[in-house]
Amino acid sequence: MFNETHPDSLILPARRRFLKQSCLGFGSVALASMLNEQRALGASTLTGDPLAMRPPLFAPKAKSVIWLFMTGAPSQVDTWDYKPELQKRNGEPLPGSDAKTGFFTTSGKILKSPFGWNQHGESGTWVSDIFPHLSQHVDRMAFIHSMYLKANNHAPASMELMCGASQPGRPSAGAWMTYGLGAENRNLPAFVVMHERRPRGDDQIWSAGFLPKTYQALTLDAKRNGVIDNLARQKVQSEAQQRASLDLLKEMNQRHLESRSTQGDLAARINSFELAYRMQMSAPEAIELAGETEATKKLYGLDNKNCEVFARQCLTARRLVERGVRFVQIFAGKNAGGDGAVDDVPWDGHNNIETNHRACAAATDQPAAALIADLASRGLLDETLVIWGGEFGRTSDSQGSVGRDHNPNGFTLWMAGGGIKGGVHHGATDEFGYKAVENRVHVNDLHATMLHLLGIDHEKLTYRHSGRDYRLTDLGGKVIPEILA
């Protein structure tokens, strides 16, 4: 039965018998058929640990990232980008409007913000009255008022914002970060995504793309509070039996891998089994909130039915970065938008910007502010980069009479913590808040800045795929020095 050209031919019959007879079942056989469709690592990586910590290229200001994704796209002119001209010229024709400024047809008439505005902090930052809690932290935030994207619908824009390009199949920022730096905590995933309802684009937004699947995110569904799928050991199996099964499976897979040095994603799967085993003890403790004080729970708003879901997610995010998780992303879900919102894009104020944005802010303002305050009180904000924003902005003219359409031409995003200079405002939109006109910032620039804060040169974080070296910032990207401390 031995064939010198196929040195693993001795072990294959035994492998088949084992899989047929053991409690592991045939599921593992599917690994082999999937390998040829996926990107392989170089041979030098196969025997190593793909999640081993890798030193940054230079001293980092941040160790981890928490990205608060306001799914559906908040209106910049109703949140952080105060435009007096909108208030003065409500109902007048929007200069340069062609009645198609958004994704759908808009009125071409200026729509004023229905919210009150006040200045806050030593920086005198103008903030809409829908953010009574976040407005207390403006001196910790750097506002980028000149963000812009190419895509003008939710799924491709979300992919562009998170992956640097709107095409499916590109790795997300969290996957790139994990690939570049490895995992700090060997018992928890380096990249975690939380959602209440999968946003449009879902897995493509946080995909590992063509990177090895080792760098994929763990996703936590808010509807299944505290549950991680397929993590718990089967009740019929003892810990010793599980350990023995994993050891045997690892040995067989390793022997298979050594004779096929191009099958890099098998190495990723071997590592995933081991990570899942280690997570059985660490992960439930990390996402269990019972040990938090009542004061902390109240700070986040767990006792407030308007924001309890996002509150639980934000508090969980703090616990995860506290335990060494590199990248945590929270997608505001259906609970954020109120009765009239679409579940998967709650901030999508097409019909009535006032009712929509009041509901969305009520569901996210207190937890997000509590996250900043809690990180600061624990000494974690200096090493944690917090990012807040949606996939694009909204139009300055109305859709219908009181709604706003999609607008990728200019919107606001803010960052706080981890090496950010607080109380600064970078870039600007025009006098109506529609287009970025000063110090325009594309997502490639945002990613370059984020990676810089983590000690990574965005031009050197590359991965060869299909004969080309790819990077998160694609062919562009410049660090924004004005917002760095």
Side-chain angles (χ1 to χ4, degrees):
M1 296 180 64
F2 179 70
N3 184 331
E4 289 184 358
T5 62
H6 296 284
D8 62 339
S9 59
L10 284 173
I11 68 168
L12 288 178
R15 182 197 294 266
R16 294 192 186 102
R17 286 196 299 273
F18 170 77
L19 292 174
K20 288 179 181 179
Q21 296 169 6
S22 75
C23 62
L24 294 175
F26 279 102
S28 300
V29 178
L31 294 177
S33 66
M34 298 170 65
L35 292 172
N36 289 333
E37 302 173 3
Q38 299 171 349
R39 175 71 172 95
L41 286 172
S44 61
T45 317
L46 297 178
T47 56
D49 181 358
L51 286 175
M53 283 187 65
R54 287 176 281 283
L57 293 179
F58 46 87
K61 296 290 184 69
K63 292 171 57 178
S64 56
V65 175
I66 298 176
W67 195 309
L68 306 177
F69 199 112
M70 299 297 108
T71 321
S75 164
Q76 68 284 0
V77 294
D78 296 296
T79 52
W80 311 104
D81 194 5
Y82 179 49
K83 295 297 178 181
E85 286 300 307
L86 286 185
Q87 310 305 102
K88 295 176 184 177
R89 300 172 63 175
N90 184 51
E92 295 181 13
L94 179 67
S97 170
D98 59 1
K100 189 75 170 84
T101 56
F103 186 74
F104 301 100
T105 300
T106 54
S107 70
K109 296 180 180 180
I110 293 171
L111 176 65
K112 71 176 183 179
S113 175
F115 307 114
W117 290 77
N118 292 287
Q119 290 179 284
H120 296 271
E122 293 183 7
S123 59
T125 297
W126 287 95
V127 183
S128 166
D129 65 11
I130 63 175
F131 295 129
H133 296 90
L134 281 171
S135 61
Q136 300 174 31
H137 298 282
V138 292
D139 289 340
R140 288 186 166 120
M141 303 170 181
F143 295 87
I144 303 174
H145 295 297
S146 52
M147 290 294 304
Y148 73 96
L149 296 175
K150 298 176 182 177
N152 197 17
N153 204 3
H154 298 291
S158 296
M159 283 186 274
E160 185 176 354
L161 185 64
M162 295 315 305
C163 306
S166 58
Q167 300 92 335
R170 298 288 288 269
S172 65
W176 276 110
M177 180 175 167
T178 306
Y179 166 66
L181 293 176
E184 185 176 7
N185 187 327
R186 305 300 292 116
N187 299 325
L188 290 172
F191 178 20
V192 175
V193 166
M194 289 183 272
H195 60 76
E196 184 182 2
R197 172 74 181 268
R198 285 179 174 267
R200 296 178 194 181
D202 53 65
D203 289 4
Q204 292 294 338
I205 306 174
W206 54 79
S207 171
F210 49 70
L211 290 177
K213 303 313 175 214
T214 296
Y215 307 114
Q216 180 64 293
L218 169 71
T219 57
L220 299 177
D221 187 340
K223 296 190 297 295
R224 307 180 67 234
N225 183 24
V227 175
I228 300 176
D229 289 333
N230 306 315
L231 183 65
R233 185 173 62 247
Q234 296 181 21
K235 294 181 180 179
V236 296
Q237 194 178 41
S238 69
E239 183 177 354
Q241 289 172 325
Q242 182 190 28
R243 182 66 265 173
S245 297
L246 286 172
D247 288 343
L248 180 57
L249 182 63
K250 181 178 181 180
E251 180 182 353
M252 291 191 299
N253 279 330
Q254 193 66 41
R255 292 180 66 183
H256 179 78
L257 183 61
E258 287 169 357
S259 64
R260 292 166 173 81
S261 61
T262 61
Q263 295 186 354
D265 268 358
L266 180 54
R269 281 166 170 74
I270 294 172
N271 278 281
S272 73
F273 291 136
E274 293 301 314
L275 175 59
Y277 176 73
R278 296 193 300 270
M279 282 174 57
Q280 286 177 343
M281 292 296 291
S282 298
E285 183 276 334
I287 63 176
E288 173 56 59
L289 307 184
E292 296 289 338
T293 67
E294 291 304 313
T296 298
K297 294 176 184 177
K298 188 175 181 64
L299 174 70
Y300 279 85
L302 265 71
D303 59 342
N304 182 346
K305 66 178 182 179
N306 289 325
C307 64
E308 59 182 339
V309 173
F310 200 69
R312 186 169 65 245
Q313 293 171 322
C314 285
L315 180 50
T316 301
R318 188 269 288 163
R319 291 177 62 85
L320 290 173
V321 299
E322 198 172 32
R323 288 158 175 77
V325 175
R326 292 277 193 196
F327 197 101
V328 181
Q329 193 160 28
I330 306 174
F331 289 84
K334 67 178 183 179
N335 193 56
D339 294 337
V342 180
D343 287 355
D344 57 354
V345 282
W347 285 88
D348 202 21
H350 288 285
N351 299 321
N352 188 315
I353 201 72
E354 180 174 13
T355 58
N356 173 266
H357 275 32
R358 283 203 186 279
C360 288
T364 58
D365 174 48
Q366 181 180 350
L371 175 64
I372 293 174
D374 197 16
L375 288 170
S377 70
R378 295 168 184 268
L380 293 171
L381 187 60
D382 288 343
E383 61 186 40
T384 305
L385 179 64
V386 180
I387 306 175
W388 184 104
E391 60 268 41
F392 40 62
R394 309 205 77 85
T395 55
S396 303
D397 61 335
S398 64
Q399 182 177 15
S401 59
V402 290
R404 297 193 194 275
D405 201 359
H406 304 177
N407 176 19
N409 299 301
F411 62 102
T412 296
L413 177 150
W414 58 255
M415 307 167 81
I420 289 296
K421 183 188 297 182
V424 301
H425 297 260
H426 181 76
T429 52
D430 60 45
E431 60 182 341
F432 304 104
Y434 175 57
K435 293 183 179 180
V437 295
E438 180 184 317
N439 294 325
R440 300 174 77 231
V441 176
H442 185 257
V443 66
N444 295 152
D445 307 317
L446 177 71
H447 288 159
T449 304
M450 180 190 76
L451 292 175
H452 176 82
L453 290 168
L454 295 162
I456 299 173
D457 183 337
H458 73 100
E459 293 184 342
K460 295 181 179 179
L461 181 64
T462 63
Y463 187 84
R464 180 158 286 268
H465 171 66
S466 296
R468 174 189 160 187
D469 288 334
Y470 283 84
R471 65 187 204 217
L472 173 60
T473 51
D474 199 38
L475 300 177
K478 294 181 180 179
V479 175
I480 311 168
E482 292 84 357
I483 68 172
L484 304 181

Coordinates of all heavy atoms in Angstrom, one line a residue, residues 118-194:
N118 N -25.6 73.0 20.7 CA -24.9 73.8 21.7 C -23.4 73.5 21.6 O -23.0 72.4 21.1 CB -25.5 73.4 23.1 CG -26.9 73.9 23.3 OD1 -27.1 75.1 23.5 ND2 -27.8 73.0 23.3
Q119 N -22.6 74.4 22.1 CA -21.2 74.2 22.2 C -20.8 73.5 23.5 O -21.4 73.8 24.6 CB -20.5 75.5 22.1 CG -20.5 76.1 20.7 CD -19.8 77.4 20.5 OE1 -20.3 78.4 21.0 NE2 -18.6 77.4 19.9
H120 N -19.8 72.7 23.5 CA -19.4 71.9 24.7 C -17.9 71.8 24.8 O -17.2 71.9 23.8 CB -20.0 70.4 24.5 CG -21.5 70.3 24.5 ND1 -22.2 70.2 25.7 CD2 -22.4 70.4 23.5 CE1 -23.5 70.2 25.3 NE2 -23.6 70.3 24.0
G121 N -17.5 71.7 26.1 CA -16.1 71.5 26.4 C -15.3 72.7 26.1 O -15.7 73.7 25.7
E122 N -14.0 72.6 26.5 CA -13.1 73.7 26.3 C -12.8 74.0 24.8 O -12.5 75.1 24.4 CB -11.7 73.4 27.0 CG -11.8 73.4 28.5 CD -10.4 73.1 29.1 OE1 -9.4 73.1 28.3 OE2 -10.4 72.9 30.3
S123 N -13.1 72.9 24.0 CA -12.9 73.1 22.5 C -14.1 73.8 21.9 O -14.0 74.3 20.7 CB -12.8 71.7 21.9 OG -13.9 70.9 22.1
G124 N -15.2 74.0 22.6 CA -16.3 74.7 22.1 C -17.0 74.0 20.9 O -17.6 74.6 20.0
T125 N -16.9 72.6 21.0 CA -17.4 71.8 19.9 C -19.0 71.9 19.8 O -19.6 71.6 20.8 CB -17.0 70.4 20.0 OG1 -15.6 70.3 20.0 CG2 -17.6 69.5 19.0
W126 N -19.5 72.2 18.6 CA -20.9 72.2 18.4 C -21.4 70.7 18.3 O -20.9 69.9 17.6 CB -21.3 72.9 17.1 CG -21.2 74.4 17.2 CD1 -20.1 75.1 16.9 CD2 -22.2 75.3 17.7 NE1 -20.4 76.5 17.1 CE2 -21.6 76.6 17.6 CE3 -23.5 75.1 18.2 CZ2 -22.3 77.7 18.0 CZ3 -24.2 76.3 18.6 CH2 -23.6 77.6 18.5
V127 N -22.5 70.4 19.1 CA -23.0 69.0 19.1 C -24.6 69.1 19.1 O -25.1 70.0 19.8 CB -22.6 68.2 20.4 CG1 -23.1 66.8 20.3 CG2 -21.1 68.2 20.4
S128 N -25.2 68.3 18.4 CA -26.7 68.2 18.4 C -27.2 67.7 19.7 O -26.5 67.0 20.4 CB -27.1 67.2 17.3 OG -28.4 66.8 17.4
D129 N -28.4 68.2 20.1 CA -28.9 67.8 21.4 C -29.3 66.4 21.6 O -29.8 66.0 22.6 CB -30.0 68.8 21.8 CG -31.2 68.7 20.9 OD1 -31.3 67.7 20.1 OD2 -32.1 69.5 21.0
I130 N -29.1 65.6 20.5 CA -29.5 64.2 20.6 C -28.4 63.4 21.4 O -28.6 62.2 21.7 CB -29.8 63.5 19.3 CG1 -28.5 63.5 18.4 CG2 -31.0 64.2 18.6 CD1 -28.7 62.8 17.0
F131 N -27.2 64.1 21.6 CA -26.1 63.4 22.3 C -25.8 64.1 23.7 O -24.7 64.6 23.8 CB -24.9 63.4 21.4 CG -25.0 62.6 20.2 CD1 -24.6 63.2 19.0 CD2 -25.4 61.3 20.2 CE1 -24.7 62.5 17.8 CE2 -25.5 60.6 19.0 CZ -25.1 61.2 17.8
P132 N -26.7 64.0 24.6 CA -26.4 64.6 25.9 C -25.2 64.0 26.7 O -24.5 64.6 27.5 CB -27.7 64.4 26.7 CG -28.4 63.3 26.1 CD -28.0 63.3 24.6
H133 N -24.9 62.7 26.4 CA -23.8 62.0 27.1 C -22.5 62.1 26.4 O -21.5 62.5 26.9 CB -24.2 60.5 27.3 CG -25.4 60.3 28.2 ND1 -26.7 60.2 27.7 CD2 -25.5 60.1 29.5 CE1 -27.5 60.0 28.7 NE2 -26.8 60.0 29.8
L134 N -22.5 61.8 25.1 CA -21.3 61.9 24.3 C -20.7 63.4 24.2 O -19.5 63.6 24.2 CB -21.5 61.4 22.9 CG -21.5 59.9 22.7 CD1 -21.9 59.5 21.3 CD2 -20.1 59.3 23.0
S135 N -21.6 64.3 24.3 CA -21.2 65.7 24.3 C -20.3 66.1 25.4 O -19.5 67.1 25.3 CB -22.4 66.7 24.2 OG -23.2 66.5 25.4
Q136 N -20.3 65.3 26.5 CA -19.5 65.6 27.7 C -18.0 65.1 27.4 O -17.2 65.4 28.2 CB -20.0 64.8 28.9 CG -21.4 65.3 29.3 CD -22.0 64.4 30.4 OE1 -21.3 63.9 31.3 NE2 -23.3 64.2 30.4
H137 N -17.8 64.5 26.3 CA -16.4 63.9 26.1 C -15.8 64.5 24.8 O -14.8 64.0 24.3 CB -16.5 62.4 25.9 CG -17.0 61.7 27.1 ND1 -16.2 61.5 28.2 CD2 -18.3 61.2 27.5 CE1 -16.9 60.9 29.2 NE2 -18.2 60.7 28.7
V138 N -16.3 65.6 24.3 CA -15.8 66.1 23.0 C -14.3 66.6 23.1 O -13.6 66.5 22.1 CB -16.6 67.3 22.5 CG1 -18.0 66.9 22.1 CG2 -16.7 68.5 23.6
D139 N -13.8 66.9 24.3 CA -12.4 67.3 24.4 C -11.5 66.1 24.4 O -10.3 66.2 24.3 CB -12.2 68.1 25.7 CG -12.8 69.5 25.7 OD1 -13.0 70.0 24.5 OD2 -13.1 70.1 26.7
R140 N -12.1 64.9 24.3 CA -11.3 63.7 24.1 C -11.3 63.2 22.7 O -10.6 62.3 22.3 CB -11.8 62.5 25.0 CG -11.5 62.7 26.5 CD -12.0 61.4 27.2 NE -11.4 61.4 28.6 CZ -12.2 61.3 29.7 NH1 -13.5 61.4 29.6 NH2 -11.7 61.3 30.9
M141 N -12.1 63.8 21.9 CA -12.4 63.4 20.5 C -11.7 64.2 19.5 O -11.6 65.4 19.6 CB -13.9 63.4 20.2 CG -14.8 62.6 21.1 SD -16.5 62.9 20.8 CE -17.3 61.9 22.1
A142 N -11.3 63.5 18.4 CA -10.8 64.2 17.2 C -11.8 64.0 16.1 O -12.1 62.8 15.7 CB -9.4 63.7 16.7
F143 N -12.4 65.1 15.6 CA -13.5 65.0 14.6 C -12.9 65.1 13.2 O -12.2 66.1 12.9 CB -14.5 66.0 14.8 CG -15.3 65.9 16.1 CD1 -14.8 66.5 17.3 CD2 -16.5 65.2 16.2 CE1 -15.4 66.3 18.5 CE2 -17.1 65.0 17.4 CZ -16.6 65.6 18.5
I144 N -13.2 64.2 12.3 CA -12.9 64.3 10.9 C -14.2 64.6 10.2 O -15.0 63.8 10.0 CB -12.3 63.0 10.4 CG1 -11.0 62.6 11.2 CG2 -11.9 63.1 8.9 CD1 -10.5 61.2 10.8
H145 N -14.3 65.9 9.7 CA -15.5 66.3 9.1 C -15.5 66.2 7.6 O -16.5 66.6 6.9 CB -15.7 67.8 9.4 CG -16.0 68.1 10.9 ND1 -17.1 67.6 11.6 CD2 -15.3 68.8 11.8 CE1 -17.0 68.0 12.8 NE2 -16.0 68.7 13.0
S146 N -14.4 65.6 7.0 CA -14.3 65.6 5.6 C -14.1 64.2 5.0 O -13.4 64.0 4.0 CB -13.0 66.5 5.2 OG -11.9 66.0 5.9
M147 N -14.7 63.2 5.7 CA -14.7 61.9 5.2 C -15.5 61.8 3.9 O -16.5 62.5 3.7 CB -15.3 60.9 6.2 CG -14.5 60.7 7.4 SD -12.9 59.8 7.1 CE -13.4 58.3 6.3
Y148 N -15.0 60.9 3.0 CA -15.8 60.7 1.8 C -15.5 59.3 1.3 O -14.5 58.7 1.6 CB -15.5 61.7 0.7 CG -14.1 61.5 0.0 CD1 -14.0 60.8 -1.2 CD2 -13.0 62.0 0.6 CE1 -12.7 60.6 -1.8 CE2 -11.7 61.9 0.0 CZ -11.6 61.2 -1.2 OH -10.4 61.0 -1.7
L149 N -16.4 58.7 0.5 CA -16.3 57.4 -0.1 C -16.8 57.4 -1.5 O -17.3 58.4 -2.0 CB -17.1 56.3 0.7 CG -16.8 56.0 2.2 CD1 -17.8 55.1 2.7 CD2 -15.4 55.4 2.3
K150 N -16.5 56.3 -2.2 CA -17.0 56.2 -3.6 C -18.4 55.5 -3.6 O -19.3 56.0 -4.4 CB -16.1 55.4 -4.4 CG -14.7 56.0 -4.6 CD -13.7 55.1 -5.3 CE -12.4 55.7 -5.4 NZ -11.4 54.8 -6.1
A151 N -18.6 54.5 -2.8 CA -19.9 53.8 -2.8 C -21.0 54.6 -2.2 O -20.8 55.4 -1.3 CB -19.7 52.5 -2.1
N152 N -22.2 54.3 -2.7 CA -23.4 55.1 -2.3 C -24.6 54.2 -1.8 O -25.7 54.7 -1.8 CB -23.9 56.1 -3.4 CG -24.8 57.2 -2.9 OD1 -24.8 57.4 -1.7 ND2 -25.5 57.8 -3.8
N153 N -24.3 53.0 -1.5 CA -25.3 52.1 -0.9 C -24.7 51.4 0.2 O -23.5 51.2 0.3 CB -25.9 51.2 -2.0 CG -27.3 50.8 -1.6 OD1 -27.9 51.2 -0.6 ND2 -27.9 49.9 -2.4
H154 N -25.6 50.9 1.1 CA -25.1 50.4 2.4 C -24.0 49.3 2.4 O -22.9 49.5 3.0 CB -26.3 49.9 3.3 CG -27.3 51.0 3.6 ND1 -27.0 52.0 4.4 CD2 -28.5 51.2 3.1 CE1 -28.1 52.8 4.5 NE2 -29.0 52.3 3.7
A155 N -24.3 48.2 1.6 CA -23.3 47.1 1.6 C -22.0 47.5 1.0 O -21.0 47.3 1.7 CB -24.0 45.9 0.9
P156 N -22.0 48.0 -0.2 CA -20.6 48.4 -0.8 C -19.9 49.5 0.0 O -18.7 49.4 0.2 CB -20.9 48.8 -2.2 CG -22.4 49.1 -2.2 CD -23.0 48.2 -1.2
A157 N -20.7 50.4 0.6 CA -20.0 51.5 1.4 C -19.4 50.9 2.6 O -18.4 51.3 3.1 CB -21.0 52.6 1.7
S158 N -20.2 50.0 3.3 CA -19.6 49.4 4.5 C -18.4 48.6 4.2 O -17.4 48.6 5.0 CB -20.7 48.5 5.1 OG -21.8 49.2 5.6
M159 N -18.4 47.9 3.1 CA -17.2 47.1 2.7 C -16.0 48.1 2.4 O -14.9 47.8 2.8 CB -17.5 46.3 1.5 CG -18.2 45.0 1.8 SD -18.4 43.9 0.4 CE -19.9 44.5 -0.3
E160 N -16.3 49.2 1.7 CA -15.3 50.2 1.5 C -14.7 50.8 2.7 O -13.5 50.9 2.9 CB -15.8 51.3 0.6 CG -14.7 52.3 0.1 CD -15.3 53.3 -0.9 OE1 -16.4 53.2 -1.3 OE2 -14.5 54.2 -1.2
L161 N -15.6 51.1 3.7 CA -15.1 51.7 4.9 C -14.3 50.7 5.8 O -13.3 51.1 6.4 CB -16.3 52.1 5.8 CG -16.0 52.9 7.1 CD1 -15.3 54.2 6.8 CD2 -17.3 53.2 7.8
M162 N -14.7 49.4 5.8 CA -14.0 48.5 6.6 C -12.8 47.7 5.9 O -11.9 47.2 6.5 CB -15.0 47.4 7.2 CG -16.0 48.1 8.1 SD -15.3 49.2 9.3 CE -14.0 48.2 10.1
C163 N -12.9 47.6 4.6 CA -11.9 46.8 3.8 C -11.1 47.6 2.9 O -10.2 47.1 2.2 CB -12.6 45.7 3.0 SG -13.7 44.7 4.0
G164 N -11.4 48.9 2.8 CA -10.6 49.8 1.9 C -11.0 49.8 0.5 O -10.5 50.6 -0.3
A165 N -11.9 48.9 0.1 CA -12.4 48.8 -1.3 C -13.8 48.2 -1.2 O -14.1 47.4 -0.2 CB -11.5 48.0 -2.2
S166 N -14.7 48.5 -2.1 CA -16.1 48.0 -2.0 C -16.3 46.6 -2.7 O -17.4 46.1 -2.6 CB -17.0 49.0 -2.7 OG -16.6 49.2 -4.1
Q167 N -15.2 46.0 -3.2 CA -15.4 44.7 -3.8 C -15.4 43.6 -2.8 O -14.6 43.6 -1.9 CB -14.2 44.4 -4.8 CG -14.1 45.4 -6.0 CD -13.2 46.5 -5.7 OE1 -12.9 46.9 -4.5 NE2 -12.6 47.1 -6.7
P168 N -16.3 42.7 -2.9 CA -16.3 41.5 -1.9 C -15.1 40.7 -2.0 O -14.4 40.7 -3.0 CB -17.5 40.7 -2.4 CG -18.4 41.6 -3.2 CD -17.4 42.6 -3.8
G169 N -14.7 40.1 -0.9 CA -13.5 39.3 -0.9 C -12.3 39.9 -0.4 O -11.2 39.2 -0.3
R170 N -12.3 41.2 0.0 CA -11.1 41.9 0.5 C -11.1 41.7 2.0 O -12.1 41.7 2.7 CB -11.1 43.3 0.1 CG -11.1 43.6 -1.4 CD -9.7 43.3 -1.9 NE -8.7 44.2 -1.6 CZ -8.5 45.3 -2.3 NH1 -9.1 45.6 -3.4 NH2 -7.5 46.2 -1.9
P171 N -9.9 41.6 2.7 CA -9.9 41.4 4.1 C -10.3 42.7 4.8 O -10.0 43.8 4.3 CB -8.4 41.1 4.4 CG -7.8 40.6 3.1 CD -8.6 41.4 2.0
S172 N -10.9 42.6 5.9 CA -11.3 43.8 6.7 C -10.2 44.3 7.6 O -9.1 43.6 7.8 CB -12.5 43.4 7.6 OG -12.1 42.4 8.6
A173 N -10.4 45.5 8.1 CA -9.4 46.1 9.0 C -9.0 45.2 10.2 O -7.9 45.1 10.5 CB -9.9 47.5 9.4
G174 N -10.0 44.6 10.8 CA -9.7 43.8 11.9 C -8.9 42.6 11.6 O -8.0 42.2 12.4
A175 N -9.1 42.0 10.4 CA -8.3 40.8 10.0 C -6.9 41.3 9.7 O -6.0 40.6 10.0 CB -9.0 40.2 8.7
W176 N -6.8 42.4 9.0 CA -5.4 42.9 8.7 C -4.6 43.2 10.0 O -3.5 42.9 10.1 CB -5.5 44.2 7.9 CG -5.7 44.0 6.4 CD1 -6.8 44.3 5.7 CD2 -4.7 43.6 5.5 NE1 -6.5 44.0 4.3 CE2 -5.2 43.6 4.2 CE3 -3.3 43.2 5.6 CZ2 -4.5 43.2 3.1 CZ3 -2.6 42.8 4.5 CH2 -3.2 42.8 3.2
M177 N -5.3 43.8 11.0 CA -4.7 44.1 12.2 C -4.2 42.8 12.9 O -3.1 42.8 13.5 CB -5.6 44.9 13.1 CG -5.1 45.3 14.5 SD -6.2 46.3 15.4 CE -5.5 46.3 17.0
T178 N -5.0 41.8 12.9 CA -4.7 40.5 13.5 C -3.5 39.9 12.8 O -2.6 39.3 13.4 CB -5.9 39.6 13.6 OG1 -7.0 40.2 14.2 CG2 -5.6 38.3 14.3
Y179 N -3.6 40.0 11.5 CA -2.5 39.4 10.7 C -1.2 40.2 11.0 O -0.1 39.6 11.1 CB -2.8 39.6 9.2 CG -1.7 39.4 8.2 CD1 -1.1 38.2 8.0 CD2 -1.3 40.5 7.4 CE1 -0.1 38.0 7.1 CE2 -0.3 40.3 6.5 CZ 0.3 39.1 6.3 OH 1.4 39.0 5.4
G180 N -1.2 41.5 11.2 CA 0.0 42.3 11.4 C 0.6 42.1 12.8 O 1.8 42.2 12.9
L181 N -0.3 42.0 13.8 CA 0.2 42.0 15.2 C 0.0 40.7 15.9 O 0.6 40.5 17.0 CB -0.5 43.1 15.9 CG -0.2 44.6 15.5 CD1 -1.1 45.5 16.3 CD2 1.2 44.9 15.7
G182 N -0.8 39.8 15.4 CA -1.0 38.6 16.2 C -1.9 38.8 17.3 O -2.6 39.8 17.5
A183 N -2.0 37.8 18.2 CA -2.9 37.8 19.3 C -2.2 38.1 20.6 O -1.1 37.5 20.9 CB -3.7 36.5 19.4
E184 N -2.7 38.9 21.5 CA -2.1 39.2 22.8 C -2.5 38.2 23.8 O -1.7 37.8 24.7 CB -2.4 40.6 23.2 CG -1.7 41.0 24.5 CD -2.0 42.5 24.9 OE1 -2.9 43.1 24.2 OE2 -1.4 42.9 25.9
N185 N -3.8 37.8 23.7 CA -4.3 36.8 24.6 C -4.5 35.5 23.9 O -5.3 35.4 22.9 CB -5.6 37.2 25.2 CG -6.1 36.3 26.3 OD1 -6.0 35.1 26.3 ND2 -6.8 36.9 27.3
R186 N -3.8 34.4 24.3 CA -3.8 33.1 23.5 C -5.1 32.4 23.8 O -5.4 31.4 23.2 CB -2.6 32.3 23.9 CG -1.3 33.0 23.7 CD -1.0 33.4 22.3 NE -0.8 32.2 21.4 CZ -1.7 31.9 20.4 NH1 -2.7 32.6 20.1 NH2 -1.4 30.8 19.7
N187 N -5.9 32.8 24.8 CA -7.1 32.1 25.1 C -8.4 32.8 24.6 O -9.5 32.3 24.9 CB -7.3 31.9 26.6 CG -6.1 31.1 27.2 OD1 -5.6 30.2 26.6 ND2 -5.7 31.5 28.4
L188 N -8.2 33.9 23.8 CA -9.4 34.6 23.3 C -9.1 34.9 21.8 O -7.9 35.1 21.5 CB -9.7 35.9 24.1 CG -10.2 35.7 25.5 CD1 -10.3 37.1 26.2 CD2 -11.6 35.1 25.4
P189 N -10.1 35.1 21.0 CA -9.8 35.5 19.6 C -9.3 37.0 19.6 O -9.6 37.8 20.5 CB -11.2 35.5 19.0 CG -12.2 35.6 20.1 CD -11.5 34.9 21.3
A190 N -8.5 37.3 18.6 CA -8.0 38.6 18.5 C -8.9 39.6 17.9 O -8.8 40.8 18.1 CB -6.7 38.6 17.7
F191 N -10.0 39.1 17.2 CA -10.9 40.0 16.5 C -12.3 39.5 16.8 O -12.7 38.3 16.5 CB -10.5 39.8 15.0 CG -11.4 40.6 14.0 CD1 -12.2 41.6 14.4 CD2 -11.4 40.2 12.7 CE1 -13.0 42.3 13.5 CE2 -12.2 40.9 11.7 CZ -13.0 41.9 12.1
V192 N -13.1 40.4 17.3 CA -14.5 40.1 17.7 C -15.5 41.1 17.1 O -15.3 42.3 17.1 CB -14.7 40.0 19.2 CG1 -16.2 39.8 19.6 CG2 -13.8 38.9 19.9
V193 N -16.6 40.6 16.5 CA -17.6 41.4 16.0 C -18.9 41.1 16.8 O -19.2 40.0 17.0 CB -17.9 41.1 14.5 CG1 -19.2 41.7 14.0 CG2 -16.7 41.6 13.6
M194 N -19.6 42.2 17.1 CA -20.9 42.1 17.8 C -22.0 42.8 17.0 O -21.8 43.9 16.5 CB -20.9 42.7 19.2 CG -20.0 41.9 20.2 SD -20.0 42.5 21.9 CE -18.6 43.7 21.7

